Each structure stands twice: as C-alpha cells, then as structure tokens.
Amino acid sequence: IPRPRNAFILFRCDFVAQKKIPASVEPDHRNISRIVGRIWKALSDEDRRPWIEEAKKERERHKRLYPQYRY
C-alpha cells in the first residue's frame, strides 16, 4: 500500500506535469527535485496552503481506504 503523498510531493508532481522544466533541459529527476525544492522553499505560506490542504485530503482518503495501515 503506497503512503499518502505530502504537500511537497503533490507540488512536485503538478510542477512536472505542467512541463515547467522540459525533459530536454533537465532529464535527471534528482536535479528536478532539487530545482522544485528551491522553488517550494521560496513559496510563501499562503502559496503553499493549497498543497497542504490537498495533502490533508489525501491523508483522509487514505485513512478511509486503509484504516489498519501504519507506517
């Protein structure tokens, strides 16, 4: 059973899905994570809030689907 994604992972997935860093520019996912991490750290709390809320919703869905799951 996969763990629910946290706010940063949700942000990173969306960032990559929007192709803000084209694969032709940066094919290495380690570097993509570093770049997105810097952007994440630069965001204000207000800009992070939607991702934090989405992570909370995902945790709640995960708890309903897998009530016995522990990590």
Side-chain angles (χ1 to χ4, degrees):
I1 299 172
R3 291 175 63 176
R5 297 175 292 175
N6 64 29
F8 171 72
I9 296 300
L10 291 169
F11 176 74
R12 185 195 182 285
C13 289
D14 184 64
F15 198 89
V16 171
Q18 290 183 26
K19 298 183 190 306
K20 292 187 177 179
I21 302 175
S24 61
V25 173
E26 186 52 67
D28 188 348
H29 283 275
R30 292 173 300 178
N31 289 335
I32 291 172
S33 290
R34 288 181 190 122
I35 293 165
V36 176
R38 287 186 196 121
I39 294 167
W40 176 255
K41 287 179 183 180
L43 289 177
S44 67
D45 289 343
E46 187 65 31
D47 291 334
R48 287 184 190 185
R49 184 167 290 128
W51 303 108
I52 293 168
E53 293 298 321
E54 186 60 34
K56 286 179 185 176
K57 290 177 188 175
E58 188 162 316
R59 274 194 309 273
E60 290 168 4
R61 279 192 303 267
H62 192 272
K63 281 184 181 182
R64 282 194 308 272
L65 291 172
Y66 310 106
Q68 301 300 319
Y69 181 77
R70 299 286 179 254
Y71 49 84

